[in-house]
Amino acid sequence: MNTKSRICPVCGGRKTIKKGSSGNRKQLFGCKECGHRFTLSRQKKKTAVHRLWIDFVFHKQTLRELAETYPLDRKTIYAYLLSYVVREKKHHPRPVHLLVDALYFGVREERTSWCALVFRDHDTKENLWWTWGRTETESLYFMGRETL
């Protein structure tokens, strides 16, 4: 059994072991990180893309690392990340210590690079706004400022 397919549905942990079988003869697995027991089932595409997004944004995985973790090639992962629709976040205006940064992916010389620009509240560690771009430009910064 490929260990890549045994991801804990609760915590997303990859340290899983076999834990017997269920009443209907399905293999049970246990997560060493959170202790949750689960059976393998086909993930819906929406769930799989959401996990990709979480690993990409919050676990700071590159496309290469995601391709090693998931049974997908980098172009497919890139297409899934671009198609992912983030729920609109309700922002409550307040004073913040704003951090803004752009993270580049790809190779600039080959013109395959793109960036993610993130506006983040330093104190609460909350991402307030983000967008994609080919390059880091002033217009992206103005757009974020106007949005907030």
Side-chain angles (χ1 to χ4, degrees), residues 25-78:
R25 295 186 171 178
K26 284 191 174 183
Q27 178 69 53
L28 285 174
F29 295 94
C31 178
K32 288 185 173 182
E33 295 177 20
C34 72
H36 180 71
R37 291 177 71 164
F38 61 97
T39 60
L40 290 181
S41 61
R42 292 182 156 239
Q43 294 179 6
K44 294 184 178 181
K45 181 179 174 184
K46 184 177 179 181
T47 305
V49 173
H50 179 70
R51 284 210 176 108
L52 271 172
W53 176 258
I54 295 296
D55 282 347
F56 177 69
V57 173
F58 298 110
H59 298 142
K60 300 178 182 176
Q61 302 244 336
T62 64
L63 290 177
R64 180 176 292 147
E65 292 168 335
L66 290 172
E68 291 171 2
T69 304
Y70 296 92
L72 302 168
D73 63 295
R74 285 189 281 181
K75 287 184 179 182
T76 304
I77 291 172
Y78 178 69

Side-chain angles (χ1 to χ4, degrees), residues 99-103 115-120 129-131 136 141:
L99 298 176
V100 182
D101 193 16
L103 180 61
C115 73
L117 185 70
V118 179
F119 283 58
R120 184 176 176 93
W129 184 81
W130 61 82
T131 189
E136 187 176 2
Y141 283 94

Side-chain angles (χ1 to χ4, degrees), residues 1-145:
M1 164 101 5
N2 188 351
T3 59
K4 290 181 184 178
S5 63
R6 291 192 273 163
I7 298 172
C8 176
V10 173
C11 71
R14 289 173 176 73
K15 294 181 181 178
T16 58
I17 57 173
K18 289 184 178 182
K19 281 285 205 179
S21 61
S22 66
N24 57 359
R25 295 186 171 178
K26 284 191 174 183
Q27 178 69 53
L28 285 174
F29 295 94
C31 178
K32 288 185 173 182
E33 295 177 20
C34 72
H36 180 71
R37 291 177 71 164
F38 61 97
T39 60
L40 290 181
S41 61
R42 292 182 156 239
Q43 294 179 6
K44 294 184 178 181
K45 181 179 174 184
K46 184 177 179 181
T47 305
V49 173
H50 179 70
R51 284 210 176 108
L52 271 172
W53 176 258
I54 295 296
D55 282 347
F56 177 69
V57 173
F58 298 110
H59 298 142
K60 300 178 182 176
Q61 302 244 336
T62 64
L63 290 177
R64 180 176 292 147
E65 292 168 335
L66 290 172
E68 291 171 2
T69 304
Y70 296 92
L72 302 168
D73 63 295
R74 285 189 281 181
K75 287 184 179 182
T76 304
I77 291 172
Y78 178 69
Y80 283 168
L81 291 174
L82 286 179
S83 69
Y84 185 75
V85 178
V86 181
R87 290 184 307 174
E88 188 168 329
K89 190 173 188 175
K90 298 200 187 309
H91 174 64
H92 305 288
R94 64 188 185 277
V96 295
H97 292 106
L98 190 63
L99 298 176
V100 182
D101 193 16
L103 180 61
Y104 277 90
F105 302 93
V107 181
R108 288 187 184 180
E109 293 81 30
E110 297 176 6
R111 298 193 188 276
T112 59
S113 68
W114 50 285
C115 73
L117 185 70
V118 179
F119 283 58
R120 184 176 176 93
D121 182 0
H122 177 269
D123 298 331
T124 63
K125 309 290 188 235
E126 177 186 8
N127 291 337
L128 302 174
W129 184 81
W130 61 82
T131 189
W132 301 107
R134 298 299 286 158
T135 60
E136 187 176 2
T137 61
E138 286 182 14
S139 63
L140 290 178
Y141 283 94
F142 287 128
M143 187 178 4
R145 186 174 143 208

